[in-house]
Amino acid sequence: MLRQSITAYGEPLRETETEMPTPTSREVVIKVHHCGVCHSDLHMQDGYFNLGHDKQLDVRAGRELPFTLGHEIEGEVVAIGPDVDSVKIGEHYAVYPWIGCGECSSCTGGEEIYCQRAQHLGISVDGGYATHVLVPDAKYLLDYSGIDPAFAGACMCSGLTALSALKKLVDGNGQRLKGPIMIVGLGGVGMIGVEIAKAIFDTPPLVADIDPAKREAALALGAGAAFDSAERADVKAVIKSTGGGVSGSVDFAGAEGSLNFGHSVLRKGGKIVVAGLIGGHFEIAIPMFPLRAIGIQGSFVGTLDEARELLELVRKGAVKPMPIEKRALTEANKSLEDLRNGKIIGRVVLTP
Ligand SMILES: [Zn+2]
Ligand SMILES: [Zn+2]
């Protein structure tokens, strides 16, 4: 099988070849038909995340090179282990990539994303920038009937991240927050977030971004009102128009400016969820936590159950596919470069 792999961090991907795996027990080999190229792949290629103050989070440990990226996978079952009875050769599935050890309390509690021994496809074990990928258990294969295959793969990261972050905007009783919530950062994930928020909250979301074109696009998708996250005056405008601030916001950018805006527009008792990974540093005076009674929570992709829930929302038409550009597997490296240089609108999906 052929792959486009990291052979050295910070360097272009190279084509590598390896033996086709033979599945054992509950393993499945998927012939990759579609694999989305995600912004987080750039951090993996670099080997670090930017922490602000000239610091970096090194993410090179525990991964042997060559390593194959790609966690937004759709494809066809071509080989199954002897204990697999839930799927058949020739069937097509979206692959849930956020796989844990299956044994720890996080995994048995349905939150494999928090597993300390993660085997995330394309992050900690070889992923879908390849002709084939080995999936450790057939239970991670999700039915996407009625959904465009290229989009079904992409849903496993961007759409899932959006849904899981928005679902964390609940009160102490687990009830979804009332009134308009705020979505900050209108990249691909934020835009899907606008659609999901329309489907799961009682009021269309407010949105904020530094880019006027993105604000216009979000308004066209049905956002309630749009604000400039770089404008202090717009913090006041949000607080005024909502009668004291929003009950919750999600930061899909994860940068200093977006988080400062997103938390400044909270009302007392409000909550912000951070899902973006652009990077930087956030400071807040400690007394503000009790005095404003605000909460801050991180959100990392989403659970297997949430992935199923998302596919159901897509099937119902609540979430529309983003523009998708299909490219050959050999264009993986060029696609990462284009993404890095901001040249991609929507999603590039590789078609190995
Ligand atoms: Zn991703
Ligand atoms: Zn585990």
Side-chain angles (χ1 to χ4, degrees):
M1 56 184 260
L2 292 175
R3 316 175 297 180
Q4 288 286 324
S5 309
I6 296 172
T7 55
Y9 288 100
E11 298 279 318
L13 304 185
R14 301 203 190 290
E15 182 168 278
T16 59
E17 190 167 7
T18 186
E19 294 251 317
M20 184 77 79
T22 305
T24 60
S25 60
R26 296 195 43 80
E27 292 174 347
V28 176
V29 177
I30 294 287
K31 182 177 194 304
V32 181
H33 286 181
H34 299 98
C35 185
V37 177
C38 174
H39 198 268
S40 65
D41 292 335
L42 295 176
H43 298 292
M44 303 291 297
Q45 185 187 26
D46 293 338
Y48 65 86
F49 285 88
N50 173 18
L51 297 179
H53 294 187
D54 296 325
K55 293 201 182 100
Q56 295 178 345
L57 174 69
D58 192 325
V59 290
R60 293 175 296 179
R63 204 177 299 114
E64 278 183 27
L65 300 185
F67 182 81
T68 305
L69 296 169
H71 52 267
E72 301 185 354
I73 305 164
E74 180 278 336
E76 177 185 350
V77 177
V78 291
I80 57 176
D83 302 331
V84 173
D85 51 18
S86 56
V87 304
K88 293 192 187 68
I89 287 172
E91 290 178 339
H92 292 236
Y93 292 98
V95 182
Y96 176 82
W98 313 109
I99 298 169
C101 71
E103 290 163 4
C104 69
S105 58
S106 295
C107 286
T108 53
E111 293 184 316
E112 300 191 40
I113 36 175
Y114 305 141
C115 179
Q116 298 289 322
R117 290 186 288 143
Q119 340 172 32
H120 297 170
L121 301 180
I123 306 288
S124 36
V125 301
D126 285 324
Y129 287 12
T131 54
H132 297 78
V133 67
L134 181 68
V135 181
D137 192 307
K139 74 177 178 186
Y140 302 111
L141 302 181
L142 301 179
D143 168 32
Y144 66 83
S145 49
I147 301 169
D148 171 37
F151 183 54
C155 281
M156 293 300 110
C157 181
S158 49
L160 183 59
T161 299
L163 175 67
S164 187
L166 287 163
K167 283 187 70 182
K168 291 183 174 75
L169 292 183
V170 288
D171 64 20
N173 300 315
Q175 299 296 312
R176 222 148 261 172
L177 296 179
K178 295 263 185 286
I181 57 110
M182 171 65 76
I183 289 176
V184 192
L186 297 168
V189 183
M191 287 294 184
I192 298 176
V194 173
E195 297 189 275
I196 294 175
K198 270 172 53 198
I200 68 172
F201 288 97
D202 61 351
T203 316
L206 308 177
V207 295
D209 197 280
I210 51 176
D211 180 348
K214 288 181 177 158
R215 297 198 295 266
E216 281 305 314
L219 287 170
L221 275 181
F227 299 88
D228 183 346
S229 51
E231 276 291 337
R232 282 311 291 177
D234 279 26
V235 171
K236 288 204 183 99
V238 174
I239 290 172
K240 189 154 180 241
S241 72
T242 53
V246 296
S247 55
S249 45
V250 176
D251 179 4
F252 285 117
E256 294 176 24
S258 59
L259 188 48
N260 276 314
F261 184 89
H263 109 276
S264 299
V265 298
L266 291 177
R267 69 177 59 193
K268 273 194 177 181
K271 177 177 183 182
I272 182 163
V273 173
V274 183
L277 278 165
I278 288 178
H281 206 86
F282 175 66
E283 272 184 44
I284 183 170
I286 294 167
M288 287 304 159
F289 282 105
L291 290 176
R292 291 179 63 209
I294 54 168
I296 183 164
Q297 182 175 4
S299 187
F300 177 69
V301 290
T303 66
L304 184 57
D305 278 346
E306 286 170 339
R308 290 197 189 94
E309 195 180 332
L310 174 68
L311 291 176
E312 201 48 52
L313 279 171
V314 175
R315 218 173 259 130
K316 281 198 233 153
V319 182
K320 313 272 182 308
M322 69 280 264
I324 285 176
E325 184 190 340
K326 295 181 187 176
R327 293 187 184 177
L329 177 60
T330 48
E331 289 188 76
N333 195 64
K334 180 182 185 301
S335 303
L336 285 176
E337 281 312 303
D338 287 351
L339 192 58
R340 199 180 285 279
N341 296 322
K343 286 191 197 158
I344 288 174
I345 294 165
R347 209 63 154 183
V348 164
V349 172
L350 302 174
T351 54

